[in-house]
Amino acid sequence: YFEPEDQLLRNVDKIRSIPAVIVQGRYDMVCPMMSAWELHKAWPEADFKLIADAGHSAYEPGITDELIRATDSFRPASGK
C-alpha cells in the first residue's frame, strides 16, 4: 500500500495536526501490534488504544466499541 514501506512513518509530520486514534487489536495477525506502536511513538499526539481481546476485524466487539468512541470524540461539542 505504501511505497516505500515506511512512507507513513517518514511523513508523519504532514498529518501530525490531524486528530487521530490508533485502534489496535492485541491478537491482530494482519497488522502487527509493533507497527501500531511504532506509529504511535512517531505520532504521540494520536491516541493509542490497545484492545486486549481483539484481533484485526472491525466487527469484533472491543474494536467496534473503540472505533465508535473514537468517531464520537471527533464530533463537535454541539452535537451537529
Side-chain angles (χ1 to χ4, degrees):
Y1 299 123
F2 292 105
E3 285 294 326
E5 200 170 289
D6 65 346
Q7 180 181 359
L8 183 58
L9 292 175
R10 285 198 288 143
N11 292 292
V12 74
D13 286 336
K14 294 179 179 181
I15 60 171
R16 187 170 305 284
S17 64
I18 299 171
V21 180
I22 301 165
V23 179
Q24 176 68 36
R26 179 178 178 203
Y27 299 108
D28 189 336
M29 296 303 194
V30 177
C31 299
M33 186 167 44
M34 192 52 128
S35 299
W37 182 244
E38 287 175 3
L39 178 59
H40 180 57
K41 286 192 317 185
W43 191 9
E45 298 85 0
D47 288 339
F48 180 78
K49 304 293 184 180
L50 179 62
I51 311 306
D53 61 350
H56 185 75
S57 176
Y59 297 106
E60 295 183 57
I63 298 283
T64 301
D65 183 56
E66 201 56 56
L67 290 173
I68 291 169
R69 287 178 200 265
T71 303
D72 286 347
S73 76
F74 300 125
R75 185 183 335 189
S78 66
K80 294 181 181 178

